[in-house]
Amino acid sequence: MSKKINEQEVAELLGNADNILLLAHQYPDGDTIGSNFALCLALQTLGKTVRVHCGDVIPDKYDYLYEDVPQPSFEPDFICAVDVADVKLLGDKTAQLYGDKIDLCIDHHATNTGYAAHTCVDSTCGAAAMVVYRIIGLLGVSLTPAIARCIYTGIATDTGCFKYSNAGALAHRIAADCIDVGIPYEMINRINFDTKSRARIELERMALDGMRFYHDGRVAVMTITNEMVEKSHAGENDLEGLPPIPRQIEGVWVGITLRQKADGNYKISVRTGTHADAADICGVLGGGGHDRAAGCAVDGTLEEATAAILAAVEQTVARITTG
Amino acid sequence: MSKKINEQEVAELLGNADNILLLAHQYPDGDTIGSNFALCLALQTLGKTVRVHCGDVIPDKYDYLYEDVPQPSFEPDFICAVDVADVKLLGDKTAQLYGDKIDLCIDHHATNTGYAAHTCVDSTCGAAAMVVYRIIGLLGVSLTPAIARCIYTGIATDTGCFKYSNAGALAHRIAADCIDVGIPYEMINRINFDTKSRARIELERMALDGMRFYHDGRVAVMTITNEMVEKSHAGENDLEGLPPIPRQIEGVWVGITLRQKADGNYKISVRTGTHADAADICGVLGGGGHDRAAGCAVDGTLEEATAAILAAVEQTVARITTG
């Protein structure tokens, strides 16, 4: 059973620890990398021996976050996971090595499974970096530009550059504190929000080519087949952030993305506005999720999968079939 | 000669005025609409008779900013332009009607021409809405949700949702104050940043189809012809924000957009990273601009225009021709 502790208690635990191994989640994003390296830098400032471990290769675009942060080798005496909601998210190898020895977890996911000896979760924070920011303050470490660019990156990437509902007042205020000490936020945002690989551009082009509209443009269907992924040379990273695209088109109530799986069948993502409930639509096909974003899976050809999800839309969304 | 005044003096001028006509610039954006209606609401709270005039039709997407704001008819005794850098930007008809009678201008453009009797410009502000926010405070009016959503919209739209270099600490702190009083910022951002017309999607698809790469992918060229605009049914609004696209592709040093003009010749936009100077490139063809964004024009066919701008790149960018 994990003990729930507050940020002051976290600061005390970390203050008394040394030879600290910090753990990021697999498929690393800006928040797990940013919040881990911010904490790493703060603890190193206190003279402690600390490094960050991630079970996956960290994408090159995050180089600016840690290229100057020493990563010494040592036998850990204290293990702390940051922004890791479930021990499985560490990746198989890391979970096997450290999964049952994690002393502390700092997180912002309400779904945290409580796998660590001590857990500190604030699910009102849009990013783990916001929790880490306050812990760094409680550790008595001042915000440096190197720490600030990690915190800012975590907040910006987890809130879609302050666009989503989790970009509350506190997210903006901490971002302002980070900017005050001097960080290249324009460069950070360009790297994270205004850079696409050629493979991604090619994949988007093909996906837009095949976009289909139904019900007077209220339903848009985009398809990503294995052939398109191969042809465009898209990697796993290039496939992120595609499901919102159909719904972003003016007049679209229901945006549907069909993504072919390795076995040839289809995974379906549904995004809706206020006129339709995504969880209801996906529920018809045995899936689920939230009212604005949900998912399901359909076995069969592209035609069969498209027909199934369109039938689910017609069955659940009032007024969609009227002109 | 315009008299430069500070925000306290602006508050005093407005406090003593009544029957106030506020003016927005033509091709209205979120900042001119947001900052004008924020000020209108604040002055109405003080019991004054106020309305906002814009020489152009205001796009539907800004409806949420002012649908509940009374717009009475009256003969103006005091005229104040907000976010209008030059009297010409009011549009011909509005400039003729009011151009020589403007009592006050509140702005954030360093290039403000000083056409009003009194001018208050703070060019350190990323949005006119930030200047207006402070003036509203000096007027003694509290921030209401209706005022806050106008201010937030002005800041978010002028800073690319806090992405650009003008999204400094103050922009974030004012946004946080707006969020504190309760505004639907997620909806505001969805309307302004995550909504594209079908015509725009179609135009982007065609533009990506025709994207060409040169010099090992360091130069990307995108073309928008009149035929593409016609075919996609794109309007003037749908053509905004295209020039940054080629430069956003990973590995691209120079992003070029060729836009065909009504006469068949080409307007060229150039965007660069740190490896190339956009103004130098465009300078070769008689154009100019800033180091990261510049423009020029070339008469001739698409092939001739492409060859001319590629030659200008080769002539000015060191190492671009080496593998």
Side-chain angles (χ1 to χ4, degrees):
Chain A
M1 204 53 200
S2 183
K3 189 179 175 202
K4 287 185 187 172
I5 61 174
N6 63 30
E7 290 165 2
Q8 182 58 51
E9 292 168 312
V10 169
E12 283 159 23
L13 259 184
L14 289 170
N16 292 324
D18 205 347
N19 299 317
I20 303 168
L21 180 68
L22 300 175
L23 299 178
H25 65 69
Q26 63 180 358
Y27 307 118
D29 57 18
D31 192 28
T32 201
I33 300 302
S35 54
N36 269 286
F37 278 98
L39 188 56
C40 180
L41 281 159
L43 293 169
Q44 287 178 351
T45 303
L46 295 174
K48 295 177 190 294
T49 302
V50 194
R51 75 165 184 273
V52 175
H53 174 80
C54 179
D56 271 333
V57 174
I58 301 174
D60 291 347
K61 67 173 174 177
Y62 299 125
D63 282 358
Y64 71 92
L65 288 177
Y66 61 88
E67 46 196 4
D68 301 328
V69 187
Q71 294 293 291
S73 290
F74 58 86
E75 198 55 45
D77 292 325
F78 190 93
I79 302 179
C80 171
V82 184
D83 192 39
V84 182
D86 189 316
V87 73
K88 289 183 211 155
L89 300 176
L90 293 170
D92 288 346
K93 209 176 143 196
T94 309
Q96 258 170 27
L97 266 174
Y98 305 116
D100 55 356
K101 297 178 239 178
I102 300 174
D103 299 287
L104 173 63
C105 173
I106 299 168
D107 194 15
H108 72 123
H109 294 96
T111 53
N112 190 289
T113 59
Y115 57 86
H118 303 85
T119 304
C120 174
V121 175
D122 184 349
S123 62
T124 68
C125 285
M130 294 168 63
V131 186
V132 166
Y133 169 86
R134 291 190 301 218
I135 290 167
I136 289 172
L138 293 167
L139 283 166
V141 175
S142 336
L143 202 60
T144 61
I147 294 175
R149 79 188 160 200
C150 287
I151 299 288
Y152 181 94
T153 297
I155 299 173
T157 54
D158 256 26
T159 61
C161 206
F162 307 95
K163 210 165 59 180
Y164 304 143
S165 59
N166 63 353
L170 185 62
H172 281 283
R173 292 203 170 97
I174 297 177
D177 291 346
C178 292
I179 292 170
D180 277 340
V181 301
I183 55 168
Y185 57 90
E186 188 194 14
M187 180 207 79
I188 292 172
N189 294 330
R190 200 172 59 238
I191 288 172
N192 287 290
F193 305 105
D194 277 344
T195 306
K196 291 179 180 183
S197 69
R198 277 180 69 173
R200 168 59 178 251
I201 289 274
E202 181 59 15
L203 187 65
E204 273 189 29
R205 190 191 62 73
M206 288 191 278
L208 293 181
D209 262 347
M211 183 94 74
R212 296 286 173 269
F213 295 91
Y214 302 88
H215 297 298
D216 265 335
R218 289 177 183 163
V219 179
V221 179
M222 186 172 82
T223 306
I224 311 286
T225 63
N226 291 330
E227 193 193 341
M228 287 162 65
V229 174
E230 259 172 59
K231 261 195 175 168
S232 64
H233 305 290
E236 216 29 69
N237 277 341
D238 299 316
L239 292 165
E240 278 172 26
L242 289 165
I245 294 176
R247 168 66 192 98
Q248 289 171 5
I249 301 167
E250 214 169 9
V252 171
W253 293 6
V254 182
I256 296 167
T257 303
L258 295 134
R259 163 89 166 90
Q260 198 175 23
K261 297 188 292 183
D263 67 4
N265 294 313
Y266 286 86
K267 209 181 90 178
I268 301 178
S269 300
V270 174
R271 297 285 185 279
T272 57
T274 50
H275 296 293
D277 189 305
D280 281 357
I281 295 167
C282 292
V284 174
L285 299 169
H290 306 280
D291 52 353
R292 300 281 162 266
C296 57
V298 173
D299 286 353
T301 64
L302 177 57
E303 289 67 32
E304 288 164 346
T306 307
I309 190 71
L310 286 174
V313 170
E314 286 162 21
Q315 194 179 320
T316 53
V317 184
R319 295 192 298 122
I320 198 98
T321 53
T322 63
Chain B
M1 201 54 198
S2 182
K3 188 179 174 202
K4 288 184 187 174
I5 62 173
N6 63 30
E7 290 164 3
Q8 182 58 53
E9 292 167 313
V10 169
E12 283 159 23
L13 259 184
L14 289 171
N16 292 324
D18 205 348
N19 299 317
I20 303 167
L21 180 68
L22 300 175
L23 300 178
H25 64 69
Q26 63 181 355
Y27 307 119
D29 58 18
D31 193 27
T32 201
I33 299 303
S35 54
N36 269 288
F37 279 97
L39 188 57
C40 180
L41 281 159
L43 293 168
Q44 287 178 350
T45 303
L46 294 173
K48 295 178 189 295
T49 301
V50 194
R51 75 166 183 271
V52 175
H53 174 81
C54 179
D56 271 332
V57 174
I58 301 175
D60 291 346
K61 66 172 173 176
Y62 299 125
D63 281 358
Y64 71 93
L65 287 177
Y66 61 87
E67 46 196 4
D68 302 327
V69 187
Q71 294 294 290
S73 288
F74 58 87
E75 198 55 46
D77 292 324
F78 190 92
I79 303 180
C80 171
V82 184
D83 194 39
V84 183
D86 189 315
V87 73
K88 288 182 212 156
L89 301 177
L90 293 169
D92 288 347
K93 207 176 145 198
T94 309
Q96 258 171 28
L97 266 174
Y98 306 116
D100 56 354
K101 296 178 239 177
I102 299 174
D103 300 287
L104 173 62
C105 172
I106 300 168
D107 194 15
H108 72 124
H109 295 96
T111 54
N112 190 291
T113 59
Y115 55 86
H118 303 85
T119 304
C120 175
V121 176
D122 183 349
S123 63
T124 68
C125 285
M130 294 167 63
V131 186
V132 166
Y133 169 87
R134 290 189 303 218
I135 290 166
I136 289 173
L138 293 167
L139 283 167
V141 175
S142 338
L143 201 61
T144 61
I147 295 175
R149 78 189 160 201
C150 288
I151 299 288
Y152 181 94
T153 297
I155 299 173
T157 54
D158 256 25
T159 61
C161 204
F162 306 95
K163 209 164 60 180
Y164 304 145
S165 59
N166 62 354
L170 185 63
H172 282 283
R173 291 203 170 97
I174 297 176
D177 291 346
C178 292
I179 292 170
D180 277 340
V181 302
I183 55 168
Y185 56 91
E186 188 192 14
M187 179 208 78
I188 293 172
N189 294 329
R190 200 173 57 237
I191 288 172
N192 287 289
F193 304 105
D194 276 344
T195 307
K196 291 180 179 182
S197 69
R198 276 180 70 171
R200 168 59 177 251
I201 289 274
E202 180 60 13
L203 187 65
E204 275 190 27
R205 191 191 64 72
M206 289 191 276
L208 293 180
D209 262 347
M211 183 94 73
R212 296 285 173 271
F213 294 92
Y214 303 87
H215 297 299
D216 264 336
R218 290 177 184 163
V219 180
V221 179
M222 187 171 82
T223 306
I224 311 286
T225 63
N226 291 332
E227 193 194 340
M228 286 161 65
V229 174
E230 259 172 58
K231 260 194 174 170
S232 64
H233 305 288
E236 219 25 72
N237 276 343
D238 299 315
L239 292 165
E240 276 173 25
L242 289 164
I245 294 176
R247 169 61 194 102
Q248 288 171 5
I249 301 167
E250 213 169 9
V252 170
W253 293 5
V254 182
I256 296 168
T257 303
L258 293 135
R259 163 92 166 87
Q260 197 174 25
K261 297 187 293 183
D263 67 4
N265 294 313
Y266 286 87
K267 208 181 92 179
I268 301 179
S269 299
V270 175
R271 297 286 186 278
T272 56
T274 50
H275 296 293
D277 188 304
D280 281 358
I281 295 168
C282 292
V284 174
L285 299 169
H290 306 280
D291 50 353
R292 301 280 161 265
C296 57
V298 174
D299 287 354
T301 64
L302 178 56
E303 289 67 33
E304 287 164 346
T306 307
I309 190 70
L310 286 174
V313 170
E314 286 162 22
Q315 195 178 321
T316 54
V317 184
R319 297 191 296 123
I320 198 100
T321 52
T322 63

